[in-house]
Amino acid sequence: MLRIATVNINGIRAAYNKNRGQSSGMAEWLVERDADIITVQEVRAPDPIVHELLQDSGYHVVHAEAAAKGRAGVAVLSRIEPTAVRIGNGDDFFDDSGRWIESDIPLADGSTITTISAYAHSGEAGTPRQEEKLRFFDQMHRRLEAIRDSGHHGLLTGDLNVAHTERDIRNWKGNLKKAGFLPEERAYFDRFHADLGWVDVHRQLAGDVDGPYTWWSMRGQAFD
C-alpha cells in the first residue's frame, strides 16, 4: 500500500510556526500522517529555507520555487529518493512560476510513479489572468498525455482551482460565470478523463454524492 497526501499549506514558514508544539503544526502533521509521498502547494519560500525546515522530516524533498518572491511554489516529499525530477510543465512561460513539478519515484515492484504537484492559476473570467490559466491547462493536457504514454504510473495532485462537476462545488448555480467553474475550464477535465484516460480518484472513492469538499472560504460563513 502507498499512502499519499496532498495539501495547500499557504506558506511553509507559517505552517511550521503555527501553534508550534501542538498537533496542528506542520512538523507534527507530517508525523501523524506518516505518508509515503506528500505533495504541497503554495510553499512560498526560497529553496534553502524549504530544505532547512524539512531536513529532519525523513523525506527527500524536491521543490520548484517561484521567481516572484513569496508566491506559489510546489514540492514533492517522498520516503524514497526520486530517480528524476522535472520542474515546469514544458511551456517555457511557466518554467519559473513555481506551479508544476514532477518527481519519478521508484516503487517496490520495480515500477515508477510519476508524481505531480501542481498549483493552477485562480484566474478571473474575461481577463489576461484567465487566458494564462487556460494556457496552463493546454500544456497540462500535453504533459498528462506524455506521462500516460511513458509506461509509468501517473499521479496528478494539487490545487487545480477548478471544480469539475456540480458534485464538486456546494453552490454550483451561483458560480457558473466565475473562474473555477466556467464551462471552458471544466471541459479540460472532461478531456483529461475521456481522451487521456486519467481517473478522478477522489470522486471514484467518494461515489456519486455531493462533495466531499476540500476547501471553504472563510467569508460569508461558508466554512460554517
Side-chain angles (χ1 to χ4, degrees):
M1 181 179 293
L2 196 66
R3 184 172 174 84
I4 301 167
T6 181
V7 60
N8 181 315
I9 57 176
N10 197 24
I12 192 169
R13 285 171 286 196
Y16 260 86
N17 290 328
K18 184 178 181 181
N19 297 325
R20 183 176 292 276
Q22 299 181 21
S23 60
S24 55
M26 185 172 176
E28 292 81 5
W29 182 87
L30 287 173
V31 173
E32 291 171 358
R33 287 298 177 268
D34 191 29
D36 300 290
I37 300 172
I38 298 175
T39 71
V40 292
Q41 302 83 43
E42 285 205 84
V43 177
R44 295 186 176 186
D47 195 62
I49 290 178
V50 173
H51 282 86
E52 179 183 350
L53 289 172
L54 293 167
Q55 63 183 344
D56 297 323
S57 66
Y59 288 97
H60 297 276
V61 179
V62 295
H63 171 233
E65 179 183 346
K69 187 176 180 179
R71 302 290 299 274
V74 289
V76 178
L77 288 57
S78 58
R79 296 290 190 190
I80 301 173
E81 186 174 5
T83 56
V85 177
R86 292 171 295 280
I87 293 176
N89 61 10
D91 183 336
D92 294 347
F93 183 76
F94 300 113
D95 278 354
D96 62 356
S97 65
R99 292 184 177 274
W100 187 280
I101 189 168
E102 300 175 13
S103 182
D104 290 344
I105 301 168
L107 302 179
D109 64 359
S111 64
T112 295
I113 182 167
T114 296
T115 304
I116 306 161
S117 182
Y119 176 43
H121 308 64
S122 57
E124 186 178 350
T127 71
R129 292 178 60 191
Q130 188 66 17
E131 295 173 7
E132 192 170 309
K133 182 178 185 178
L134 298 184
R135 177 174 175 175
F136 187 84
F137 287 151
D138 283 332
Q139 191 59 33
M140 182 189 294
H141 188 283
R142 298 184 182 98
R143 283 306 304 151
L144 294 184
E145 183 176 28
I147 292 168
R148 181 201 64 183
D149 295 340
S150 70
H152 292 172
H153 301 292
L155 177 69
L156 169 65
T157 69
D159 185 341
L160 303 180
N161 270 309
V162 173
H164 181 208
T165 74
E166 296 169 8
R167 293 296 204 191
D168 300 319
I169 184 170
R170 176 70 174 174
N171 179 26
W172 65 268
K173 290 183 179 178
N175 285 278
L176 284 170
K177 296 183 179 180
K178 297 180 180 179
F181 200 60
L182 295 172
E184 57 267 32
E185 295 174 326
R186 297 162 63 197
Y188 278 95
F189 288 78
D190 290 338
R191 294 194 291 272
F192 297 157
H193 298 162
D195 297 347
L196 302 181
W198 287 70
V199 176
D200 184 342
V201 177
H202 187 70
R203 176 56 55 211
Q204 186 180 61
L205 294 174
D208 189 23
V209 298
D210 290 338
Y213 308 116
T214 59
W215 180 87
W216 301 263
S217 171
M218 297 304 291
R219 299 177 181 178
Q221 297 184 321
F223 184 86
D224 295 336

